[in-house]
Amino acid sequence: GENVGLHLPTLSVQEGDNSIINCAYSNSASDYFIWYKQESGKGPQFIIDIRSNMDKRQGQRVTVLLNKTVKHLSLQIAATQPGDSAVYFCAESGMDSSYKLIFGSGTRLLVRP
Amino acid sequence: DAGITQSPRHKVTETGTPVTLRCHQTENHRYMYWYRQDPGHGLRLIHYSYGVKDTDKGEVSDGYSVSRSKTEDFLLTLESATSSQTSVYFCAITRTGSTGELFFGEGSRLTVL
């Protein structure tokens, strides 16, 4: 079936550096993509989203890039902080009205002090 | 805070016993979801609901049933728990009028011995 995957299971970065977390998706019909952050023992938290009619969207310290040609999604975190340490998931959904999200397997971000 | 409460937060049970997890929301949202999360996997959709008494299956629905008799409560039942159903279960809602992002509860950790 269609699935969303990640290239790197663990990413270690120095505090203050920028982080880039990547995600590949296989369903070309997906039109909505989201990044979630999950801290240990908690539920996933929404970070940022993007629709397929855009290729870039910026939030506070985060940017999501969408390359539909190669079905690739990335999350960029500027000036990474210790509080950014968590597991990050990308998710996708299609055009139906049920808002069902399909999640990737996650990337763990470790921030070194 | 999306006003989602899951109960119980932790449960240990034995194989073959029935288990019901409850998700309660305080904001009167139409869509509710149950996901499970396992090591090496992202979150996988079990069942979802788009209104009172309106439910549908997700990608991993075998062995699970759901009920929604009131807008605020979405119940997930394991009729006869198996060890493969040991997992962390997350309830989620989609806010009416949103672009489709899910807001998650804190999770219910179920261990089936």
Side-chain angles (χ1 to χ4, degrees):
Chain A
E2 304 290 352
N3 63 82
V4 175
L6 292 170
H7 297 306
L8 299 173
T10 303
L11 176 66
S12 180
V13 300
Q14 190 72 38
E15 181 179 356
D17 288 351
N18 296 334
S19 303
I20 300 175
I21 301 172
N22 296 303
C23 177
Y25 65 95
S26 58
N27 186 354
S28 56
S30 292
D31 78 324
Y32 181 59
F33 304 88
I34 305 180
W35 282 100
Y36 281 91
K37 172 186 180 183
Q38 187 177 26
E39 297 174 298
S40 181
K42 296 186 177 181
Q45 294 176 286
F46 170 86
I47 301 174
I48 192 168
D49 60 358
I50 190 169
R51 290 218 168 267
S52 59
N53 61 351
M54 302 173 68
D55 54 17
K56 181 180 179 178
R57 191 168 187 216
Q58 289 184 295
Q60 186 178 10
R61 281 202 307 118
V62 294
T63 301
V64 55
L65 298 177
L66 175 62
N67 186 330
K68 295 180 287 294
T69 302
V70 295
K71 297 178 190 171
H72 185 266
L73 191 69
S74 69
L75 176 70
Q76 300 178 0
I77 303 174
T80 311
Q81 301 170 1
D84 295 326
S85 292
V87 177
Y88 290 80
F89 295 94
C90 63
E92 61 169 328
S93 72
M95 289 288 293
D96 70 34
S97 61
S98 65
Y99 305 115
K100 290 179 292 185
L101 291 178
I102 298 173
F103 285 81
S105 56
T107 293
R108 182 174 301 279
L109 176 65
L110 300 175
V111 181
R112 304 188 304 273
Chain B
D1 181 5
I4 301 171
T5 304
Q6 291 185 229
S7 60
R9 293 291 313 280
H10 301 273
K11 186 173 181 64
V12 179
T13 191
E14 294 187 349
T15 298
T17 60
V19 176
T20 295
L21 304 179
R22 178 180 183 240
C23 178
H24 179 77
Q25 58 142 329
T26 59
E27 299 180 353
N28 206 35
H29 299 295
R30 179 182 174 193
Y31 287 90
M32 299 183 75
Y33 309 79
W34 277 108
Y35 282 82
R36 61 177 289 175
Q37 185 174 36
D38 305 290
H41 296 272
L43 291 100
R44 294 180 290 174
L45 181 64
I46 306 171
H47 282 279
Y48 66 100
S49 170
Y50 43 96
V52 173
K53 293 186 169 54
D54 291 324
T55 65
D56 205 349
K57 296 179 179 180
E59 59 183 309
V60 290
S61 60
D62 288 349
Y64 301 95
S65 62
V66 289
S67 65
R68 190 152 177 219
S69 58
K70 298 183 292 184
T71 298
E72 58 266 34
D73 289 327
F74 191 32
L75 304 181
L76 177 70
T77 297
L78 291 66
E79 299 290 348
S80 178
T82 66
S83 57
S84 66
Q85 292 176 312
T86 292
S87 187
V88 181
Y89 292 86
F90 287 97
C91 176
I93 60 97
T94 297
R95 287 199 166 118
T96 304
S98 74
T99 52
E101 68 268 29
L102 299 182
F103 295 88
F104 288 85
E106 293 296 290
S108 295
R109 181 175 294 277
L110 175 66
T111 302
V112 183
L113 302 176

